[in-house]
Amino acid sequence: MSVSQVSLFNEHSRIVQALYYNESLSSTDISVFIGKSIPHTIKVLNELVKDGCIELRGYASSSGGRRPMKYSLVADDHFIISVAMSQFNMRIAALDMNNRFINEGTEHYFDIHHLQADELIHYINTFIQEAGLNKNNVLGVGITMPGFIDPDKGINYSFLEIPNQSLVEYMQQNIGLPVFIENDSTAIALGEQKFGVARQQNDALIVNLGWGIGLGMIVDGKIFRGHSGLAGEFSHIPIVKNGKLCLCGKHGCLETESSLIAIAAKANAEIEQGQTSSLVKYEQIDADAIIKEAIKGDTLSVKLISEAAYTVGQGIAILIHILNPAVIVLSGKASVVGRLWLSPIQQAINEHCIPRLAHGTELLISDLNDKAQLIGGAVLVVENIGEPLSKKLNELKKEVSI
Amino acid sequence: MSVSQVSLFNEHSRIVQALYYNESLSSTDISVFIGKSIPHTIKVLNELVKDGCIELRGYASSSGGRRPMKYSLVADDHFIISVAMSQFNMRIAALDMNNRFINEGTEHYFDIHHLQADELIHYINTFIQEAGLNKNNVLGVGITMPGFIDPDKGINYSFLEIPNQSLVEYMQQNIGLPVFIENDSTAIALGEQKFGVARQQNDALIVNLGWGIGLGMIVDGKIFRGHSGLAGEFSHIPIVKNGKLCLCGKHGCLETESSLIAIAAKANAEIEQGQTSSLVKYEQIDADAIIKEAIKGDTLSVKLISEAAYTVGQGIAILIHILNPAVIVLSGKASVVGRLWLSPIQQAINEHCIPRLAHGTELLISDLNDKAQLIGGAVLVVENIGEPLSKKLNELKKEVSI
DNA sequence: AAAACTTTTTAAAATTTTAAAAAATGTTTG
DNA sequence: CAAACATTTTTTAAAATTTTAAAAAGTTTT
């Protein structure tokens, strides 16, 4: 493949991206998106129509002038596999080029600490087979999971380490498709940015209310990772004075007070002390139980979530001062009870932010619910088509600093 | 001026930028910097040599092959005026195209709350005249000052407001040169990034230890401002439990404990309570007095700075978790006693950061000292040549979002 | 029905890159 | 010690790409 073909391919992929994020666009829109002239854009669009991956969808309306042609992706020309993992489970789904789920997907349970890459590969290959997908029509597999992940090198440093090889390389060899990996919170942020309430936002913070408190940051329209990929360690900022030792070894981390794990621990303690609550009927009081009872209105569950939320709000107040985001999105597992989190967090923001900042920041609840991570996995693939890992690694090596 | 000429001009200005930040570069270096092919780069370079703003500086060494020609800016072809203001004073200096001060500069004292734009204009015009500079050879004037500033609109919302006009417009009309404004902490960050210890860094935090605690953030190689330009409000993050009311109206702001103003207030209180200290000899104990005595080893002064530093360190620990910077630079007025700040801050980082993050972040003291802001003002001009305000405003209006 | 406006098409012009040759220099080898 | 070779930069000319400008084609408003 010559260099000119590569750059052409990337131009194509930019157009595919534009259309994946928008049902249909005019040639002018696409021309702006890819930063090329209209004649050139139209030439490329025609090629893609001939290729069969883009179709014409009639004319858009006009405010007084010739009506523009609408271009869209052909929905079933290609598909994307998205794999969303948490510490304890994984879901696999397939999406078409209109970002729609083409089936119900499958779910598997495990403890990620004991999960083997081969198991993961087996689940994915089985899924592709059972969904009846032809691998030639699959753009790629987006795997999103907890851990400290380098998406460019294709390595998860926390889980699923493969000796002498990157996880992505190993997966690609055994699945026969392009594979991309990303951190779960980051994936949720991607999903919210492209298809959720953070759509169109260049400066957004997406809080992943889950087993821990994850944070995905969109800075200047792009996912922000920091110098060594560790940025967004929100759940370990030292702002709590409860003396509890965190798993990370430090005291005072936000997650010792506000994660679902911390909330569950508190619930168990309170119940033991004889607190009345509909939680008593559970054999093991875990996050799912608390969320379930909180929805039903159990006082203790609601109280515990509210308290945790206020502490998270204090942390968010600090984030706002430093990053001045346009929106903050509450997403992730626990955001299904988003209403319960919202007002304590908003109150903490009002109490701890300078007014100009508090007013300039919108606090929103995800409307993607538990789909955010799966959608983020699909976005991950779309964002990376046209940039195979090998090319990225070459760039990393070349990187010249003047 | 046709559009093609504009883009050519911007290409020229990219080359000027590359050479302003580097004493000399080869055509290959410049080609990489501006992202164009070597033949094209050499063509443009020849034009600039003919123009007289770039000169040849002989050959660089080679690791085995033809030696590359070194290109440099002609030092006295153009000059830059930099104006560095604080709340209480301003310095004016002129720099040549090698980033060297061409004279001693001048200094004026005032309270910025009562400063008039006309006064500022008078100082600048007088300076240019007395320095014997021809305005045709001055690239522009970079004014850096406290306040909430929108550099694109050319407005300082906190000070020096001009009715019905932007400050920059007014200044340009009365000085007859391109004028650019920027926040003081941001300017210091620019200076440190291009010429200081944060050189080459894409992810750096520059702490401006001054009357307040300023913060300039370099994210992905660029100054980060947030959604509405308020990012980096480090001095108002709520992390102190001292009950003191901050000027911003909130309790618990970092600056109630750690700014030079807070330190001076504490010193006065301690002296009144009969503490022994070489500070007693001062009529008014202000920041300058404390810095002076701390250098001499006065126990009280050192103690107060150390305490403040530890609190700043707690704040920095939070910044590190969120932003994962490669380096943190202590700069600004109070960084002349940088050694005193260093170890309490480092200790707070070690205590409050997860180890992987603490180890990945270098804490450095500025070597530009009080020159950082002036140099930042010059960088401000260099960064903006080729992009006149009017063009920027047009772009702001056009900004299409898909 | 004319005027105003927007999108699309076309063809010429301008820009930029590619590829190959030439020039210059350090390293290796006989 | 010099010739051969590997490397790197510079030059050249042809090829490819992309843009500009102007004309044409549709729509809405007046």
Side-chain angles (χ1 to χ4, degrees):
Chain A
M1 193 184 255
S2 83
V3 178
S4 80
Q5 277 178 303
V6 168
S7 83
L8 188 64
F9 185 51
N10 279 330
E11 197 164 88
H12 283 197
S13 66
R14 287 282 295 148
I15 293 178
V16 170
Q17 283 161 21
L19 290 172
Y20 190 77
Y21 304 137
N22 298 274
E23 195 154 319
S24 66
L25 293 172
S26 72
S27 59
T28 311
D29 296 334
I30 296 170
S31 154
V32 171
F33 192 96
I34 66 173
K36 300 279 157 158
S37 70
I38 290 171
H40 180 243
T41 304
I42 290 178
K43 195 187 83 189
V44 176
L45 281 172
N46 287 336
E47 288 167 25
L48 288 168
V49 170
K50 203 179 279 172
D51 282 1
C53 73
I54 283 185
E55 65 186 3
L56 307 176
R57 285 263 181 94
Y59 297 98
S61 61
S62 160
S63 57
R66 180 167 177 172
R67 298 203 308 218
M69 179 60 75
K70 290 193 290 186
Y71 295 85
S72 295
L73 290 180
V74 175
D76 55 2
D77 187 53
H78 283 96
F79 300 95
I80 296 166
I81 311 289
S82 180
V83 181
M85 294 167 59
S86 79
Q87 277 192 52
F88 305 119
N89 79 332
M90 68 184 271
R91 289 170 290 159
I92 311 181
L95 294 95
D96 68 15
M97 297 311 288
N98 284 346
N99 191 45
R100 277 193 269 268
F101 291 90
I102 65 165
N103 59 22
E104 291 207 340
T106 58
E107 188 163 6
H108 307 277
Y109 299 89
F110 49 70
D111 184 323
I112 196 170
H113 296 89
H114 308 125
L115 183 68
Q116 297 297 310
D118 288 329
E119 225 173 310
L120 180 53
I121 290 165
H122 172 74
Y123 290 146
I124 294 172
N125 278 330
T126 308
F127 174 86
I128 294 173
Q129 207 179 340
E130 288 179 354
L133 293 173
N134 178 341
K135 284 190 181 174
N136 290 327
N137 295 330
V138 176
L139 275 186
V141 181
I143 302 175
T144 59
M145 53 183 157
F148 172 41
I149 292 173
D150 186 327
D152 292 330
K153 295 206 184 112
I155 299 173
N156 184 339
Y157 293 98
S158 311
F159 307 111
L160 284 163
E161 276 191 82
I162 312 281
N164 308 321
Q165 208 177 11
S166 79
L167 177 59
V168 160
E169 250 179 313
Y170 187 75
M171 303 279 294
Q172 276 177 345
Q173 281 169 14
N174 287 284
I175 298 177
L177 285 171
V179 171
F180 308 96
I181 63 172
E182 183 55 274
N183 170 271
D184 55 348
S185 295
T186 307
I188 289 173
L190 270 177
E192 296 290 349
Q193 184 197 18
K194 301 300 186 188
F195 292 102
V197 290
R199 202 163 181 178
Q200 314 277 22
Q201 296 292 348
N202 282 325
D203 296 280
L205 300 180
I206 287 85
V207 182
N208 176 14
L209 300 170
W211 297 108
I213 313 276
L215 178 67
M217 298 188 281
I218 293 161
V219 167
D220 226 359
K222 296 192 299 285
I223 292 289
F224 176 65
R225 302 175 191 283
H227 176 61
S228 43
L230 291 162
E233 270 298 353
F234 183 52
S235 74
H236 294 289
I237 63 170
I239 59 163
V240 184
K241 303 266 186 287
N242 61 5
K244 281 185 206 158
L245 184 68
C246 179
L247 289 171
C248 77
K250 299 276 170 196
H251 294 267
C253 295
L254 177 63
E255 77 170 31
T256 62
E257 193 71 14
S258 303
S259 69
L260 286 182
I261 290 171
I263 293 175
K266 279 191 193 180
N268 276 304
E270 296 242 15
I271 297 284
E272 257 178 45
Q273 284 182 13
Q275 265 286 349
T276 56
S277 160
S278 54
L279 285 171
V280 292
K281 68 183 175 222
Y282 289 85
E283 207 166 292
Q284 197 184 350
I285 299 174
D286 61 7
D288 290 311
I290 294 170
I291 290 176
K292 210 166 167 182
E293 294 306 316
I295 291 173
K296 290 191 200 153
D298 173 55
T299 318
L300 178 63
S301 303
V302 170
K303 190 195 90 179
L304 289 175
I305 290 179
S306 296
E307 283 174 4
Y310 185 82
T311 309
V312 170
Q314 288 183 299
I316 289 180
I318 293 176
L319 291 181
I320 293 176
H321 278 98
I322 296 170
L323 297 167
N324 180 212
V327 299
I328 292 179
V329 179
L330 304 180
S331 189
K333 183 183 180 66
S335 70
V336 292
V337 285
R339 304 263 155 247
L340 294 178
W341 294 83
L342 202 59
S343 81
I345 290 178
Q346 186 65 60
Q347 192 177 337
I349 291 174
N350 293 341
E351 277 174 30
H352 297 294
C353 280
I354 49 183
R356 198 182 216 158
L357 274 167
H359 294 151
T361 310
E362 240 185 316
L363 183 64
L364 302 170
I365 299 174
S366 171
D367 58 359
L368 299 179
N369 298 314
D370 60 338
K371 296 276 186 294
Q373 192 179 339
L374 279 171
I375 292 172
V379 171
L380 175 67
V381 173
V382 172
E383 285 287 296
N384 286 284
I385 49 172
E387 289 196 60
L389 185 63
S390 59
K391 203 195 140 211
K392 277 201 174 179
L393 285 178
N394 273 336
E395 274 172 17
L396 285 177
K397 281 177 208 155
K398 260 190 282 175
E399 234 170 54
V400 187
S401 57
I402 299 188
Chain B
M1 193 185 258
S2 84
V3 178
S4 79
Q5 279 178 302
V6 168
S7 80
L8 189 64
F9 184 50
N10 279 331
E11 196 164 90
H12 283 198
S13 64
R14 288 281 296 148
I15 294 178
V16 170
Q17 282 160 21
L19 290 173
Y20 190 77
Y21 304 135
N22 298 276
E23 196 155 318
S24 66
L25 293 172
S26 73
S27 59
T28 311
D29 296 334
I30 296 170
S31 155
V32 171
F33 192 96
I34 67 173
K36 299 280 157 158
S37 69
I38 290 171
H40 178 68
T41 304
I42 289 178
K43 195 187 82 189
V44 177
L45 280 173
N46 286 337
E47 287 166 26
L48 288 168
V49 170
K50 204 181 277 172
D51 282 2
C53 74
I54 284 185
E55 64 185 5
L56 307 175
R57 286 261 181 94
Y59 298 98
S61 61
S62 160
S63 56
R66 182 166 174 171
R67 297 201 310 217
M69 179 59 73
K70 289 192 289 187
Y71 295 84
S72 295
L73 290 180
V74 175
D76 55 1
D77 189 53
H78 284 95
F79 300 95
I80 297 166
I81 312 289
S82 179
V83 181
M85 293 167 60
S86 80
Q87 276 191 52
F88 305 119
N89 78 331
M90 68 185 271
R91 287 170 292 159
I92 312 181
L95 294 94
D96 68 16
M97 299 310 290
N98 283 346
N99 190 47
R100 278 193 269 268
F101 292 90
I102 66 165
N103 59 23
E104 290 207 339
T106 59
E107 187 162 9
H108 306 279
Y109 298 89
F110 49 69
D111 184 324
I112 197 171
H113 296 89
H114 308 125
L115 183 68
Q116 298 296 311
D118 288 328
E119 225 173 311
L120 179 53
I121 289 164
H122 172 73
Y123 289 146
I124 295 172
N125 277 329
T126 307
F127 175 86
I128 294 173
Q129 209 178 338
E130 288 180 354
L133 293 172
N134 178 342
K135 284 190 181 174
N136 291 326
N137 296 330
V138 176
L139 275 185
V141 181
I143 303 174
T144 58
M145 53 184 157
F148 173 41
I149 292 174
D150 187 326
D152 292 331
K153 294 203 183 114
I155 298 173
N156 185 337
Y157 293 98
S158 311
F159 306 110
L160 285 164
E161 276 191 83
I162 312 280
N164 307 319
Q165 209 178 9
S166 78
L167 176 59
V168 159
E169 249 178 313
Y170 187 76
M171 304 278 296
Q172 277 177 344
Q173 281 168 15
N174 288 283
I175 297 178
L177 285 172
V179 171
F180 308 96
I181 63 173
E182 183 55 275
N183 170 270
D184 54 347
S185 294
T186 307
I188 288 174
L190 271 177
E192 295 290 350
Q193 184 197 17
K194 301 299 185 187
F195 292 102
V197 290
R199 202 162 182 179
Q200 315 276 24
Q201 296 293 348
N202 282 326
D203 296 279
L205 301 180
I206 287 84
V207 182
N208 176 14
L209 300 171
W211 298 107
I213 313 278
L215 179 66
M217 297 188 282
I218 293 162
V219 167
D220 226 358
K222 295 192 300 283
I223 291 291
F224 176 65
R225 300 174 191 286
H227 177 60
S228 43
L230 291 162
E233 270 299 351
F234 183 53
S235 74
H236 294 288
I237 62 170
I239 61 164
V240 184
K241 303 265 187 285
N242 61 6
K244 280 186 207 158
L245 184 68
C246 180
L247 289 171
C248 78
K250 299 275 171 197
H251 294 265
C253 296
L254 177 62
E255 77 171 29
T256 64
E257 194 70 15
S258 302
S259 69
L260 286 182
I261 290 171
I263 293 175
K266 278 192 192 179
N268 276 303
E270 296 243 14
I271 297 283
E272 256 177 47
Q273 284 182 13
Q275 265 285 350
T276 56
S277 159
S278 53
L279 285 170
V280 292
K281 67 182 176 221
Y282 289 85
E283 209 168 287
Q284 200 185 346
I285 299 175
D286 61 7
D288 290 311
I290 295 169
I291 291 176
K292 210 165 165 184
E293 294 306 317
I295 292 173
K296 290 190 201 153
D298 173 55
T299 317
L300 178 62
S301 304
V302 170
K303 190 195 91 181
L304 290 175
I305 290 179
S306 296
E307 284 173 6
Y310 186 82
T311 310
V312 170
Q314 288 182 299
I316 289 179
I318 294 177
L319 291 180
I320 292 176
H321 278 98
I322 297 169
L323 297 167
N324 179 213
V327 298
I328 293 179
V329 179
L330 305 180
S331 189
K333 183 184 180 64
S335 70
V336 291
V337 285
R339 304 265 154 245
L340 294 179
W341 293 84
L342 202 60
S343 82
I345 290 178
Q346 186 64 61
Q347 192 177 337
I349 292 174
N350 292 341
E351 277 175 29
H352 297 292
C353 280
I354 46 184
R356 199 180 214 159
L357 275 167
H359 294 152
T361 310
E362 238 184 316
L363 182 64
L364 302 171
I365 299 174
S366 170
D367 57 0
L368 299 179
N369 298 315
D370 59 339
K371 294 278 186 294
Q373 192 179 339
L374 280 171
I375 290 172
V379 171
L380 175 67
V381 174
V382 171
E383 285 288 294
N384 286 283
I385 50 172
E387 289 197 60
L389 185 63
S390 58
K391 204 195 140 209
K392 277 203 173 176
L393 286 176
N394 273 336
E395 274 172 19
L396 286 176
K397 282 175 204 153
K398 260 189 282 175
E399 235 169 55
V400 188
S401 58
I402 300 186

